């Protein structure tokens, strides 16, 4: 997406929960983990795809090979190593299944990527950086002249491309923890260091995702594709396989056609789209970025072309090409109906933050829904640098207006961003930016905790326990006046900057207006509740600001997260002036002068509760 202006104020002693307006979380101890380094390093299967070069000079129109169980883990198909039956192999267009001896045949075309779908109970190899190795690029003459290199000439069709796997209990387990990393999006080596000190360091301390691994869902870097080796150095400290899908900042922008727009990504990291299985889960990694932008002129529903947005430069759009759609249909047709399907993409099929934008959602969303009809599914995406937990039946006005939808057919989750709000704002004492997002969310990663074909979603804020799920603030008339004045000052820089003094002090005059205690519940959704107890009194329900029942977005000071805005208007970044996971509780107008305490209990759709406390004071006048 288009980035906001980035402002950094230098290193401060700002602790993650000591910023203006935050509550105090009543948290349990961080989740215990096993020794992650020794556990993963002892079991990791390191290797590569076996490419057997032809010696006879024969031009081949068919690619042959096999999927084999690599008993000695040398990545070479030996005579005594059996082939594996029933594995899906694709050239990105056609999908075939290996025979009883693990063999496959696929038609050849230029600039194709051949890959396998890792079957449950087996593990594809990873390289020294933990990047999964399961594909081969075929581009005989190599990419056109591209700044970042693209794909080197591969030469003629090999005599065989063989895909090694090993048996794996961790990928067979019906309990999986799939980490989804949104928008790492490092623009330079300084930001690489922020990621290392932040979410990557957190993941290095965890060992619960060895089976499913980490899927980085696009915008792996920020336009500078020479940083891919730095990213792979980051993934080398993870404790499970690392996979990637492409985002709009992973493009070869000098490619003249869409055919070559992700050549460097494919050469360095992964196919542009693919799938893999763990447990009872089928993960589909889609490429939803089309560059150069392609108008939706062939849509039978007459949706308008979406390539003319003046802010969309260089122009891309959310779209699946016909080849990828054909692959997706064949891929899903071979997946048992009782499996959970995780549809992962960079640009989301639909999202809340950009619900009115045809560029930042996927043209063929209804076609994807048709292919998934009758299946248990969840969509996860990045791109918007926001956290969104959208449930079945949720509806935003833009989805109806643009796509003719009347509600989501299955859950959609926008996974936040490792970079948060593009690494903006102050630095924490741990050396990475606060980077509070456009929805008031904070940097972190999503985990899908899976049992069988059911899942629960978990968002882990960078540097925090999983119990930290909310942030509290006070939205007062004084705050709203400051919001407007500070915005104007940021525009003109005329005179002294307005200051928000004592944001947790409320005057009697403010109470006689409308003052809300706000709770930003990042994974809060339709079906979640937030309750507030004042000074030990009975718990009363707060009201969600955005009900997701087809209404338009509510935008402005009264709908904002004051905790987030108090940082953003001072230290830079986006502005949390709307959110689909904000709750408000109106403070009584007759609260006594003196100190008060609000205890907030947020309960998600899975029955998990999270408690936060905000102390504030009522005074006669400020």
């Amino acid at each position: 997406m288009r980035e906001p202006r980035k402002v950094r104020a230098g290193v401060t002693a700002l602790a993650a929960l000591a910023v203006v307006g935050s509550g105090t979380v009543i948290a349990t101890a961080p989740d215990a983990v096993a020794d992650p380094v020794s556990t993963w390093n002892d079991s990791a299967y390191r290797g590569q795809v076996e490419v057997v070069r032809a010696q006879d000079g024969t031009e081949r129109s068919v690619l042959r090979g096999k999927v084999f169980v690599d008993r000695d883990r040398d990545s070479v198909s030996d005579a005594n190593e059996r082939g594996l039956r029933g594995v899906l192999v694709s050239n990105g267009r056609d999908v075939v299944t290996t025979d009883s001896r693990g063999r496959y045949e696929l038609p050849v075309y230029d600039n194709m990527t051949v890959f396998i779908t890792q079957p449950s109970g087996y593990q594809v190899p990873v390289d020294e950086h933990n990047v999964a190795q399961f594909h081969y690029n075929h581009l005989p003459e190599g990419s056109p002249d591209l700044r970042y290199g693209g794909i080197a000439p591969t030469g003629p069709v090999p005599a065989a491309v063989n895909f090694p796997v090993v048996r794996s209990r961790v990928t067979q387990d019906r309990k999986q923890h799939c980490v989804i990393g949104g928008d790492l999006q490092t623009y330079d080596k300084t930001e690489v260091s922020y990621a290392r000190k932040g979410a990557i360091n957190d993941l290095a301390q965890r060992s619960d995702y060895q089976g499913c691994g980490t899927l980085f869902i696009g915008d792996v870097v920020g336009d500078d594709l020479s940083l891919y080796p730095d990213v792979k150095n980051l993934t080398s400290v993870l404790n499970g396989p690392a996979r990637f899908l492409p985002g709009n900042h992973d493009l070869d922008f000098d490619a003249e056609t869409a055919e070559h727009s992700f050549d460097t990504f494919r050469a360095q990291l992964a196919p542009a789209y693919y799938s893999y299985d763990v447990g009872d889960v089928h993960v589909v990694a889609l490429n939803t970025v089309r560059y150069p932008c392609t108008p939706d002129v062939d849509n039978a529903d007459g949706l308008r072309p979406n390539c003319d947005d003046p802010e969309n430069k260089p122009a891309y759009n959310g779209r699946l090409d016909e080849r990828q759609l054909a692959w997706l249909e064949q891929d899903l047709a071979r997946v048992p109906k009782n499996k959970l399907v995780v549809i992962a993409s960079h640009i989301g099929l639909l999202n809340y933050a950009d619900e009115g934008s045809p560029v930042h959602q996927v043209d063929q969303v209804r076609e994807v829904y048709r292919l998934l009809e009758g299946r248990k599914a969840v969509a996860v995406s990045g791109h918007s640098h926001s956290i969104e937990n959208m449930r079945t039946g949720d509806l935003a006005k833009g989805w109806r207006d643009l796509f003719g939808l009347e509600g989501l057919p299955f859950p959609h989750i926008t996974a936040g961003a490792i970079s948060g709000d593009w690494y903006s704002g102050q630095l924490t004492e741990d050396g990475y930016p606060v980077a509070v997002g456009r929805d008031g969310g904070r940097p972190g990663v999503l985990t899908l905790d899976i049992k069988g074909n059911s899942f629960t979603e978990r968002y882990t804020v960078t540097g925090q326990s999983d119990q930290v799920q909310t942030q509290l603030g006070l939205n007062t008339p004084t705050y709203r006046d400051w919001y407007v004045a500070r915005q104007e000052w940021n525009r003109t820089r005329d005179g002294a900057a307005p200051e928000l003094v004592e944001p947790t002090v409320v005057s009697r005059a403010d109470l006689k207006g409308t003052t809300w205690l706000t709770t930003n519940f990042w994974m809060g959704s339709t079906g979640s509740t937030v309750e507030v107890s004042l000074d030990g009194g009975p718990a009363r329900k707060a009201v969600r600001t955005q009900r997701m029942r087809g209404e338009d977005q509510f935008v402005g000071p009264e709908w904002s997260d004051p905790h987030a805005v108090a940082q953003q208007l001072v230290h830079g970044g986006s502005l949390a002036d709307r959110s689909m996971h904000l709750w408000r509780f109106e403070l009584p107008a007759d609260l006594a002068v003196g100190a008060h305490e609000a205890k907030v209990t947020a309960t998600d759709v899975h029955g998990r509760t999270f408690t936060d406390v905000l102390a504030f004071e009522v005074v006669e006048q400020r």
Side-chain angles (χ1 to χ4, degrees):
M1 291 189 62
R2 184 174 59 91
E3 290 73 22
R5 180 175 58 90
K6 294 195 280 185
V7 178
R8 300 195 186 103
V11 178
T12 74
L14 182 66
L17 285 181
V19 290
V20 171
S22 176
T24 301
V25 177
I26 301 175
T28 60
D31 299 333
V33 294
D35 177 2
V37 176
S38 62
T39 303
W40 171 246
N41 284 337
D42 289 346
S43 63
Y45 167 43
R46 304 199 184 277
Q48 60 278 325
V49 173
E50 180 187 28
V51 180
V52 181
R53 294 295 175 187
Q55 302 299 320
D56 55 10
T58 301
E59 291 190 13
R60 292 170 170 81
S61 61
V62 173
L63 176 67
R64 296 181 173 87
K66 69 177 182 177
V67 179
F68 67 97
V69 181
D70 190 15
R71 293 180 60 188
D72 59 6
R73 296 187 170 219
D74 67 351
S75 301
V76 176
S77 176
D78 301 319
N80 63 341
E81 290 177 329
R82 68 180 178 89
L84 189 61
R85 180 178 187 168
V87 179
L88 301 186
V89 190
S90 179
N91 59 9
R93 181 186 65 195
D94 309 286
V95 179
V96 298
T97 305
T98 55
D99 66 14
S100 60
R101 296 172 64 182
R103 299 173 302 185
Y104 72 88
E105 292 186 0
L106 281 166
V108 169
Y109 61 90
D110 278 353
N111 202 18
M112 70 176 185
T113 300
V114 179
F115 55 88
I116 68 167
T117 295
Q118 173 189 281
S120 295
Y122 293 87
Q123 173 70 62
V124 299
V126 297
D127 67 9
E128 67 273 24
H129 304 293
N130 293 320
V131 177
Q133 304 294 299
F134 60 98
H135 71 286
Y136 171 75
N137 295 315
H138 173 68
L139 186 55
E141 304 300 324
S143 297
D145 186 20
L146 297 173
R147 177 181 179 184
Y148 294 107
I151 299 169
T154 60
V157 177
V161 175
N162 301 321
F163 296 95
V165 296
V166 294
R167 280 192 165 277
S168 170
R169 291 181 180 176
V170 293
T171 69
Q172 188 173 28
D173 197 330
R174 297 184 75 241
K175 292 184 178 179
Q176 294 290 334
H177 305 280
C178 299
V179 175
I180 310 296
D183 296 73
L184 188 68
Q185 202 162 346
T186 54
Y187 282 83
D188 51 42
K189 290 181 183 294
T190 297
E191 294 187 347
V192 171
S193 74
Y194 292 159
R196 180 180 293 109
K197 293 172 184 176
I200 299 300
N201 179 61
D202 289 353
L203 289 173
Q205 309 309 311
R206 289 174 52 179
S207 61
D208 62 339
Y209 57 94
Q210 293 182 19
C212 195
T214 301
L215 176 60
F216 294 92
I217 53 174
D219 284 2
V220 180
V221 295
D223 300 333
D224 183 354
L225 309 189
S226 71
L227 292 173
Y228 282 148
D230 297 88
V231 169
K232 289 190 279 190
N233 284 334
L234 295 179
T235 63
S236 67
V237 305
L238 300 183
N239 300 304
R243 296 179 175 90
F244 305 85
L245 60 81
N248 54 288
H249 289 282
D250 297 310
L251 287 161
D252 285 294
F253 281 115
D254 47 349
E256 295 182 359
T257 65
E259 180 185 9
H260 295 288
S261 60
F262 284 114
D263 280 9
T264 300
F265 174 91
R266 292 163 56 212
Q268 294 281 337
L269 298 177
Y273 52 90
Y274 55 93
S275 62
Y276 57 99
D277 287 352
V278 289
D280 294 328
V281 181
H282 182 70
V283 182
V284 179
L286 292 178
N287 171 21
T288 53
V289 180
R290 182 72 170 176
Y291 174 83
C293 188
T294 303
D296 197 12
V297 294
D298 56 351
N299 190 299
D301 301 303
L303 301 182
R304 69 178 180 85
N306 59 16
C307 295
D308 300 326
D309 184 344
E311 294 186 351
N312 180 28
K313 301 297 180 185
Y316 63 88
N317 60 317
R319 186 172 177 82
L320 306 175
D321 64 24
E322 294 307 313
R323 182 181 295 169
Q324 186 176 183
L325 273 173
W327 165 81
L328 178 61
E329 183 168 13
Q330 294 177 73
D331 176 83
L332 291 174
R334 289 165 170 80
V335 177
K337 290 284 188 178
N338 62 347
K339 283 201 171 192
L340 172 68
V341 178
V342 178
I343 296 290
S345 63
H346 180 62
I347 297 177
L349 301 178
L350 296 173
N351 72 1
Y352 165 78
D354 303 302
E355 52 87 24
S357 168
V359 173
H360 299 304
Q361 299 173 101
V362 175
D363 289 345
Q364 300 94 339
V365 58
R366 296 205 300 184
E367 178 69 8
V368 175
Y369 289 168
R370 183 188 67 79
L371 295 176
L372 291 165
E373 189 172 356
R375 292 185 178 275
K376 198 164 187 177
V378 57
V380 295
S381 63
H383 189 56
S384 62
H385 293 246
S386 59
I387 306 166
E388 301 168 355
N389 190 1
M390 299 173 289
R391 310 299 297 180
T392 302
D394 278 357
L395 178 63
K397 182 177 182 295
W399 306 342
R400 176 189 287 142
D401 293 348
L402 291 171
F403 302 103
L405 297 177
E406 291 298 333
L408 297 179
F410 50 80
H412 289 47
I413 302 174
T414 308
I418 288 174
S419 59
D421 190 67
W422 294 272
Y423 299 106
S424 62
Q426 292 177 290
L427 295 186
T428 68
E429 60 187 6
D430 294 314
Y432 52 84
V434 176
V436 180
R438 62 194 295 196
D439 61 336
R442 287 163 58 186
V445 298
L446 173 74
T447 304
L448 298 181
D449 295 314
I450 295 168
K451 185 175 182 179
N453 64 358
S454 298
F455 75 93
T456 56
E457 63 282 0
R458 167 168 49 114
Y459 189 76
T460 305
V461 173
T462 300
Q464 297 298 318
S465 156
D466 286 336
Q467 291 296 309
V468 178
Q469 294 293 315
T470 58
Q471 65 191 15
L472 309 181
L474 289 180
N475 190 322
T476 68
T478 296
Y479 157 76
R480 295 192 290 274
D481 290 344
W482 171 82
Y483 176 114
V484 173
R486 182 72 196 211
Q487 263 200 318
E488 177 63 16
W489 184 88
N490 284 351
R491 186 183 67 82
T492 65
R493 301 285 168 167
D494 184 20
E499 293 186 16
L500 181 62
V501 180
E502 297 181 319
T504 57
V505 174
V506 186
S507 69
R508 298 281 289 179
D510 276 353
L511 285 177
K512 291 177 181 178
T514 302
T515 289
W516 298 286
L517 184 149
T518 61
T519 302
N520 200 327
F521 184 13
W522 298 305
M523 277 281 111
S525 65
T526 301
S528 299
T529 61
V530 173
E531 295 184 319
V532 180
S533 169
L534 288 177
D535 301 322
R540 301 183 186 279
K541 285 190 175 181
V543 177
R544 188 182 181 193
T545 59
Q546 199 79 56
R547 296 183 62 240
M548 300 299 289
R549 287 295 174 260
E551 73 276 15
D552 206 348
Q553 289 184 346
F554 296 124
V555 183
E558 65 269 37
W559 309 104
S560 67
D561 175 353
H563 166 75
V565 171
Q567 300 171 68
Q568 293 167 325
L569 284 180
V570 176
H571 301 295
S574 297
L575 189 63
D577 60 356
R578 74 202 74 183
S579 175
M580 56 84 66
H581 45 75
L582 190 75
W583 275 255
R584 301 189 308 194
F585 177 81
E586 188 171 346
L587 293 182
D590 59 354
L591 271 180
V593 170
H596 297 273
E597 182 179 270
K599 181 179 179 181
V600 177
T601 302
T603 305
D604 69 13
V605 292
H606 308 291
R608 297 174 296 190
T609 61
F610 307 94
T611 304
D612 207 345
V613 173
L614 182 69
F616 64 96
E617 183 182 2
V618 175
V619 297
E620 284 291 349
Q621 60 184 14
R622 294 177 68 91

